[in-house]
Amino acid sequence: MKETILCKYGEIVLKGLNKPQFEKALSAEMKRRIAPAGEFDIFHSQSILYLSPKNEECDIDFAVEFAKKVFGIATVARAAECEKNMDAIIKTAVEYLPEKIRGHKSFKVEGKRGDKRFPLTSPEIAREVGSAVGDLVPEVDVDLKNPEITAIVEIREDCAYIHAGSEKGAGGIPYGSCGKATLLLSGGIDSPVAGYMMARRGALIDAVHFESFPYTSERAEEKVAELASLVCEYTGRMRMKVISLTEIQEEMVKKIDQEYFTLLLRRCMMRLAARAARESGSMALVTGESLGQVASQTMPALVVTDSAVDMPVLRPLIGMDKEEIITIARKIGTFETSIQPYEDCCTVFTPKHPKTRPELEKVLIQEAKVDFEALENKAYEAMRVREIRRAIDN
């Protein structure tokens, strides 16, 4: 019995004349992402992406798990494939479905007739298959209104597909279909979530991480690399540029009023990130800032921060509270790593009373006390690049 994975589109179905462009991007991304599970024929029809194994060495279980993390997919179902006639459908159903239905309290069968030329209606298909399967699982009740599990028979253009329901996919739109952005990635809870959310909207993500060795440790950087790898469960890959702020921060401590320290450090980070972004072809920066969460994330502070760069700054978490952000972090698997107690460059030399309502003119007066251009050039020249991938690809 041959099994095929049915990946049903999410938002792509709404793309109108641009739909083929998104389908092409989705197919290419899926091919790359499920490669560790074996060789699959990948094709699309009627708003479904089909993953058909080429040989017995293909690992269907792994492929399903990989497919559920590909942006652009709403649901994923592992299905038995058979000829498009009732004899073959019933034969396959009685072989395939009982083991999936047993252990549940109730079930029903639904027919979905994507090919309207098929001689039986959807209710007729459901009735015949349900009767045949029900005879083999008499201990499971038939419940047409609120079943614990629903088996589905889909009549498509070339074949019939039989499965016991579907699992939720990652949603969004295909990764890399909407340009490239650079994420300012720290070791906290917020920035990995921000990267995930922008990737889910089709942005190809690179990252910049700022360290302050010896005030921050090598283990702190490895924590960030681990967070990037967890995000790569959904993106597959990420290039992370690591820039040291140590000398810049030491100069700032000596020369500026400390209430401006965090603001000026953020402006410096934005300039360096923008430089890295332009070099890699990114069109925007991405941060994990949420309005009012800390002193540097008040509206006046964000205005001052943004004025340091000449490219868009995208903040997908801007209107979210901490509990909402934590919920997503738990969902994507980054939360437990984020709360590990390692240093972050933004917590080094933190002032006791940072400015929350800064005025740009006064900020620029403070900024002029330090030769940021020379220090930033030196830091950028010493930048390191790390290639990050999901754990299974390493």
Side-chain angles (χ1 to χ4, degrees), residues 185 207 209 224-225 228 238-242 384-386 388:
L185 182 62
H209 172 62
V224 176
M238 183 186 300
R239 173 170 289 187
M240 185 174 80
K241 298 178 178 180
V242 182
R384 294 177 285 114
V385 180
R386 298 184 61 167
I388 309 293

Side-chain angles (χ1 to χ4, degrees), residues 262-277:
T262 301
L263 279 169
L264 291 178
L265 182 63
R266 291 294 297 172
R267 285 172 59 84
C268 171
M269 293 165 68
M270 296 294 273
R271 286 191 294 267
L272 286 166
R275 186 169 174 178

Side-chain angles (χ1 to χ4, degrees), residues 175-182 198-199 202-206 237 282:
Y175 183 59
S177 62
C178 290
K180 188 175 185 179
T182 292
M198 291 309 304
L204 189 69
I205 299 295
D206 271 353
R237 65 196 186 281
S282 288

Side-chain angles (χ1 to χ4, degrees), residues 44 50 78 99 105 113 160 206 220 240 246 254 261 264 288 304 363 367 386:
H44 55 81
Y50 295 83
R78 179 173 177 165
E99 68 177 66
K105 294 179 181 179
R113 197 172 55 138
D206 271 353
M240 185 174 80
T246 304
K254 296 175 187 175
F261 185 93
L264 291 178
V304 167
V363 171
E367 197 166 73
R386 298 184 61 167

